[in-house]
Amino acid sequence: MAHTALVTGASSGIGEAFARALAGRGHDLILVARREDRLRALADELPTEARIIGCDLASEAPSVPAQVEALGLDVDLLVNNAGFGTYGRFHEIPEGRDAEMVRVNCEAVVTLTRAFLPDMVERGRGGVIVVASTSGNQPLPYTATYAATKAFAQFFAEALRQELRGSGVRALAVNPGPVPTEWQQVSGVSTRELGVPGEISAEQVAAEALDAFDRDRRSVIPGRVIRTFMRLSKPSPRSMQLRVTERLYRPRS
């Protein structure tokens, strides 16, 4: 019997790439996102069975487990991918938008992981993949809340992985660098504008992440260039990192 993977934010970008890669491995899918039309189109293309759940995770994440139960399915792999970012001076970002981001990028991850993890542990198999970001490795002026949510996602996944050792269940933090997706459209800035090196495709992110998951890695930064860049910048003092990133990310207007 095919295992079932639930992928959030599956309507585009990295989430869609995960769905396609997992279907290629023979997984049945539960695709979760706000845009049901895109989910239906994707489900029709996949070679395995794919169910869809239209859901705004900012407000409806607690409803997802009941909808999965109604489908009569067990979740063997949870891919917490849904998320978005904002860009600009914190006090100028529309009121409530960053709080909504925290609900999607952090609270929904906790809610869904708590819902599906106990059954995985009881079965003695399964896994949780959390898509964080290299942005979570340091404070980032002008994407302050986004970077903080991704630090949360990264640390949450890594701590889970340690807790789950010996249980048969795995956890992985995926920390992509620049990836051309709709994230840039939502946030209002592209990583190319900011000059962040090492851009790779969403498909490469999914492929390297699943390879790392197979090898029971704690975390992975997909892409050789951005891995090297992050490794070289890590020893620098936090104060220096903040000065450099403030200049790099400073709004041009």
Side-chain angles (χ1 to χ4, degrees), residues 5-9 14-15 18 22 75 77-82 112 127-131 210:
L6 187 153
V7 182
T8 67
I14 294 173
F18 264 110
L22 288 164
V75 173
L77 174 63
L78 172 63
V79 182
N80 284 303
N81 165 75
L112 296 182
V128 178
I129 294 175
V130 180
V131 178
L210 291 175

Side-chain angles (χ1 to χ4, degrees), residues 31-145:
L31 308 174
V32 179
R34 290 179 297 110
R35 296 172 293 190
E36 291 188 45
D37 55 339
R38 289 199 181 188
L39 293 181
R40 288 194 185 94
L42 175 59
D44 289 343
E45 294 178 21
L46 297 177
T48 56
E49 185 172 3
R51 313 289 186 90
I52 70 170
I53 295 177
C55 177
D56 183 349
L57 291 175
S59 57
E60 301 172 332
S63 73
V64 172
Q67 294 186 68
V68 171
E69 185 177 2
L71 294 173
L73 298 174
D74 293 323
V75 173
D76 301 290
L77 174 63
L78 172 63
V79 182
N80 284 303
N81 165 75
F84 69 91
T86 57
Y87 174 70
R89 293 174 175 85
F90 176 77
H91 67 279
E92 296 176 350
I93 293 169
E95 186 175 356
R97 185 59 169 164
D98 277 13
E100 181 184 9
M101 189 203 316
V102 172
R103 290 194 294 272
V104 174
N105 295 11
C106 301
E107 185 177 337
V109 171
V110 172
T111 297
L112 296 182
T113 303
R114 181 61 181 83
F116 297 116
L117 186 59
D119 286 344
M120 294 181 194
V121 173
E122 186 175 339
R123 292 192 296 267
R125 60 177 172 81
V128 178
I129 294 175
V130 180
V131 178
S133 170
T134 53
S135 296
N137 288 358
Q138 66 280 304
L140 290 181
Y142 310 114
T143 62
T145 305

